[in-house]
Amino acid sequence: MELVAAATRRQQTHGDAIMLCVGQPSTPAPDPVRREVERVLDTHTLGYTEARGTRQLRTAISDHYARHYHLSVDPDEIVVSNGSSGGFSTVLLAAFEAGARIAMTRPGYPAYRNTVRALGCEPVEVVCGPETRFQPSVEQLEALPERIDGLIIASPANPTGTIIGADELAAIAAWCEANDVLLLSDEIYHGIGYGRPMSTAWATSRNAVVMGSVSKFHSMTGWRLGWNLLPAHLTRPVELLQGNLSICAPAVSQAGAVAAFTPESESELVGHVERYARNREVVLQRLPELGVTSFAPPDGAFYAYCDISHLTDDSQQWCLDVLDRTGVALAPGIDFDPVDGNRFMRLSFCGSTEQLNEAFDRLATVV
């Protein structure tokens, strides 16, 4: 976020900033969503909703799992949240006591580590590299020196874009269930993939928590709307906490999100993924121009996590210098890996193909 602030200043002073540092689609919400919001603004009061979310939206999410995963999900097993981030915090509060040990990958999304620590729990980092496609394995979990209470996984993952295969995900979910470990499966990038299939943790274990969101595939980041699929023992506690902490997710976002799950919206959104796929090819072709030959295979999402040890051993300062010299904003790896991330950077390719090529032109001249 410091890079975002610096890039914003750069845009104000130079007008040439290219934001490859944020995982935010450059496209608006689907047209059916915008039309539905216009309609409800004219016809509805849009007051508080049920704490767990409107029945209409939870039914739309339930139908989504039936269509895309062939899963039967009761709308009452779903709690809608203020973004997946809000749902993540609420689930942590409901499921764990202070001092609980919660495992997560390194590299990984920094808010996992920071939120777990802020709520009085202990992050347990599982170091993951190319040999496991930057994802945890059952063998690694078995080898942890102390018992864990929870495990956070993400597929596709941020910052690496890697996907956990169906068999591996099933094995992890089964291990968690057998060892009384609560699995939290972050699936907010589902729908954005490049030929490698995606599975959900609920295909194996209904004792897991599945986190979803309209932010990424549905191109609705600022609408702050997510959801959790919850095991029976957590549904009521999460609902009560949601009602106390935020009353409900934004009513206008909930109304619009119902339309996000329609075939018309999904047809529009598939077009975005096709553009991400073209951008991914640009990234794979042009990274060698920067001397970057080692990076996580971007199976999904819209990130490349790149080894830049031939350029720097201080990724944060390097990203600031690159921004200053080129106007291209990249995310320093130290954000995702506080130990080894000083030699990595994350590049986001969810913007326009033209801007992405322009960014590589500028980077190539500097490097």
Side-chain angles (χ1 to χ4, degrees), residues 75-217:
D76 288 337
E77 296 175 304
I78 301 168
V79 174
V80 175
S81 58
N82 299 62
S84 62
S85 300
F88 178 58
S89 299
T90 307
V91 168
L92 289 180
L93 282 167
F96 301 106
E97 300 298 331
R101 292 168 46 81
I102 304 174
M104 62 201 70
T105 63
R106 176 166 64 80
Y109 181 50
Y112 299 151
R113 179 176 64 247
N114 296 337
T115 304
V116 164
R117 186 175 289 123
L119 295 177
C121 298
E122 180 184 348
V124 178
E125 294 183 334
V126 181
V127 181
C128 298
E131 65 282 356
T132 61
R133 300 176 60 81
F134 296 89
Q135 294 285 3
S137 66
V138 169
E139 290 73 23
Q140 286 176 301
L141 299 174
E142 290 278 8
L144 291 173
E146 296 182 56
R147 184 189 180 280
I148 57 173
D149 302 290
L151 170 67
I152 303 166
I153 59 173
S155 175
N158 179 7
T160 61
T162 59
I163 290 173
I164 303 175
D167 291 343
E168 292 90 344
L169 179 56
I172 290 170
W175 183 89
C176 287
E177 190 165 313
N179 289 275
D180 195 26
V181 172
L182 180 64
L183 175 63
L184 293 90
S185 181
D186 184 343
E187 301 175 5
I188 70 170
Y189 290 96
H190 273 214
I192 306 174
Y194 313 106
R196 188 173 170 89
M198 302 176 200
S199 183
T200 176
W202 262 35
T204 299
S205 174
R206 296 290 179 118
N207 288 326
V209 173
V210 168
M211 296 179 277
S213 171
V214 297
S215 287
K216 307 302 181 178
F217 173 72

Side-chain angles (χ1 to χ4, degrees), residues 9-335:
R9 292 192 295 271
R10 169 82 184 203
Q11 182 64 21
Q12 292 168 346
T13 57
H14 292 68
D16 65 348
I18 300 179
M19 305 285 277
L20 305 188
C21 59
V22 291
Q24 173 172 291
S26 59
T27 45
D31 188 59
V33 172
R34 302 197 303 274
R35 291 200 308 267
E36 177 63 11
V37 167
E38 289 178 3
R39 185 188 71 79
V40 298
L41 285 173
D42 289 336
T43 59
H44 289 64
T45 303
L46 295 175
Y48 297 140
T49 74
E50 293 180 65
R52 64 173 57 196
T54 66
R55 183 80 184 184
Q56 186 181 17
L57 176 55
R58 288 183 287 115
T59 299
I61 295 170
S62 172
D63 292 344
H64 165 78
Y65 281 95
R67 287 196 311 275
H68 293 279
Y69 303 91
H70 308 293
L71 282 179
S72 176
V73 177
D74 191 307
D76 288 337
E77 296 175 304
I78 301 168
V79 174
V80 175
S81 58
N82 299 62
S84 62
S85 300
F88 178 58
S89 299
T90 307
V91 168
L92 289 180
L93 282 167
F96 301 106
E97 300 298 331
R101 292 168 46 81
I102 304 174
M104 62 201 70
T105 63
R106 176 166 64 80
Y109 181 50
Y112 299 151
R113 179 176 64 247
N114 296 337
T115 304
V116 164
R117 186 175 289 123
L119 295 177
C121 298
E122 180 184 348
V124 178
E125 294 183 334
V126 181
V127 181
C128 298
E131 65 282 356
T132 61
R133 300 176 60 81
F134 296 89
Q135 294 285 3
S137 66
V138 169
E139 290 73 23
Q140 286 176 301
L141 299 174
E142 290 278 8
L144 291 173
E146 296 182 56
R147 184 189 180 280
I148 57 173
D149 302 290
L151 170 67
I152 303 166
I153 59 173
S155 175
N158 179 7
T160 61
T162 59
I163 290 173
I164 303 175
D167 291 343
E168 292 90 344
L169 179 56
I172 290 170
W175 183 89
C176 287
E177 190 165 313
N179 289 275
D180 195 26
V181 172
L182 180 64
L183 175 63
L184 293 90
S185 181
D186 184 343
E187 301 175 5
I188 70 170
Y189 290 96
H190 273 214
I192 306 174
Y194 313 106
R196 188 173 170 89
M198 302 176 200
S199 183
T200 176
W202 262 35
T204 299
S205 174
R206 296 290 179 118
N207 288 326
V209 173
V210 168
M211 296 179 277
S213 171
V214 297
S215 287
K216 307 302 181 178
F217 173 72
H218 296 93
S219 198
M220 296 170 65
T221 51
W223 298 64
R224 306 316 302 135
L225 196 79
W227 68 85
N228 288 306
L229 308 186
L230 295 165
H233 73 283
L234 284 178
T235 305
R236 182 62 173 160
V238 167
E239 179 186 9
L240 291 172
L241 280 168
Q242 170 83 356
N244 279 276
L245 294 174
S246 57
I247 301 181
C248 64
V252 66
S253 299
Q254 292 191 59
V258 172
F261 294 97
T262 61
E264 184 182 355
S265 286
E266 292 188 1
S267 176
E268 180 180 334
L269 295 166
V270 166
H272 299 340
V273 178
E274 291 171 353
R275 176 168 53 82
Y276 303 150
R278 292 193 295 272
N279 288 355
R280 174 180 177 271
E281 291 305 311
V282 170
V283 169
L284 297 180
Q285 291 168 12
R286 301 203 61 178
L287 276 176
E289 296 177 28
L290 313 182
V292 175
T293 57
S294 177
F295 47 87
D299 304 321
F302 28 59
Y303 304 120
Y305 190 64
C306 306
D307 185 340
I308 53 170
S309 56
H310 63 296
L311 299 172
T312 186
D313 60 2
D314 184 348
S315 61
Q316 185 169 5
Q317 188 59 50
W318 184 83
C319 286
L320 288 169
D321 290 344
V322 165
L323 175 63
D324 183 59
R325 297 177 66 184
T326 69
V328 177
L330 302 163
I334 199 72
D335 207 24

